[in-house]
Amino acid sequence: MNQAQLIDAIIDQVAADAKGAHSATKADVTRMLVALTGVVHGQLKNGGEVTLPGIGKLKAQDKPAKTGRNPKTGEPVEIKARRAAKFTSVKALKDAMQ
């Protein structure tokens, strides 16, 4: 699902939940997604975590430097330390996938 499809799906879901009382526009949903992205990036950049209710948790995880291998030559290559995002899904999402 790409961003445009996600926006359309959210609009459809909001309209179904609101039963016509309030409908969201594409611009509204796009602004919300951009804002969510900014919040998540900021939290993870600072080493925090973000819980997405019903979906899971995104958490910043520091990975230490390590030595890897160049698959072509087999020579050792130094891989720098980095911060990565780790996603852990909630039980309800895991159960829904089965």
Side-chain angles (χ1 to χ4, degrees):
M1 177 179 278
N2 63 29
Q3 183 174 340
Q5 293 167 330
L6 177 60
I7 290 169
D8 289 338
I10 291 171
I11 290 171
D12 292 343
Q13 187 66 46
V14 168
D17 289 347
K19 297 181 178 98
H22 180 283
S23 60
T25 65
K26 280 190 176 187
D28 293 337
V29 175
T30 301
R31 280 193 296 275
M32 286 185 250
L33 285 176
V34 169
L36 176 63
T37 301
V39 169
V40 170
H41 285 190
Q43 286 294 313
L44 295 180
K45 185 176 183 181
N46 294 326
E49 62 183 47
V50 177
T51 300
L52 303 169
I55 299 172
K57 185 184 291 186
L58 286 164
K59 185 176 181 180
Q61 182 178 35
D62 291 322
K63 301 224 175 207
K66 63 182 180 179
T67 302
R69 295 242 174 241
N70 180 332
K72 203 173 210 181
T73 63
E75 291 183 28
V77 176
E78 193 62 32
I79 300 170
K80 295 179 184 178
R82 63 190 176 99
R83 179 171 285 162
K86 179 181 179 184
F87 176 75
T88 305
S89 61
V90 296
K91 185 176 182 329
L93 179 62
K94 291 176 187 175
D95 291 344
M97 301 280 301
Q98 299 303 319

